[in-house]
Amino acid sequence: MAGQPAPSPNRGPAFSGTQHRLDNIAGSGWRIIGWETDPREALSANGRRPIADDVLQATYVTLTSPGRRPVHCDATQQILEDHDDVARPYFKRQPFVVLRPDHYVCANPSSTELDSTVRALMQHIWRLTETTVSA
């Protein structure tokens, strides 16, 4: 899974009926995507801030099967339906996918691994930054 390009099939908000590609809605930065679960709920306060929010500037997205989008959603939460059911295979083993800015899968962690995955990713980015700066 990690290192593979992520699909960007049509997804869309259930209420508007308009379909767009995930990349067009969630952007091209770091994205943490949960299958029928809000990824923010699986991150600790320290995992979310400062790491995911400040360092990665991650976008959080929840994907659902068509017709499974909850009606009572928070205005800051992006909940999208996977109309083509193309993304579902990426979530068979674990409920989360972390996408890199180049649209490749970085990680496919479980709920208990998401925090440590984000933390390890931040450390890796800092090491790369230090190597680049000192070169």
Side-chain angles (χ1 to χ4, degrees):
M1 184 74 51
Q4 294 180 2
S8 187
N10 287 329
R11 291 160 167 79
F15 306 122
S16 71
T18 305
Q19 292 188 18
H20 302 279
R21 294 202 172 278
L22 176 63
D23 297 344
N24 295 340
I25 295 171
S28 61
W30 289 95
R31 285 142 298 159
I32 302 174
I33 303 170
W35 185 262
E36 298 188 351
T37 187
D38 184 348
R40 297 174 301 177
E41 293 175 4
L43 288 170
S44 68
N46 291 331
R48 184 162 177 215
R49 285 195 178 102
I51 300 171
D53 286 353
D54 298 338
V55 175
L56 299 179
Q57 297 178 344
T59 299
Y60 303 98
V61 178
T62 300
L63 289 178
T64 68
S65 298
R68 303 237 344 157
R69 183 173 191 238
V71 175
H72 61 282
C73 63
D74 160 343
T76 64
Q77 186 178 12
Q78 289 193 49
I79 303 176
L80 308 171
E81 292 184 338
D82 182 10
H83 294 286
D84 299 330
D85 207 30
V86 175
R88 181 67 181 121
Y90 281 74
F91 297 91
K92 277 191 177 183
R93 293 188 179 155
Q94 305 297 348
F96 299 103
V97 169
V98 178
L99 295 182
R100 303 182 326 208
D102 62 1
H103 310 290
Y104 277 73
V105 175
C106 175
N108 184 214
S110 68
S111 296
T112 58
E113 297 169 328
L114 185 58
D115 230 42
S116 62
T117 298
V118 169
R119 206 174 309 282
L121 180 57
M122 178 197 67
Q123 291 171 349
H124 180 71
I125 289 170
W126 279 351
R127 279 194 302 273
L128 288 175
T129 303
E130 288 174 357
T131 303
T132 304
V133 171
S134 62

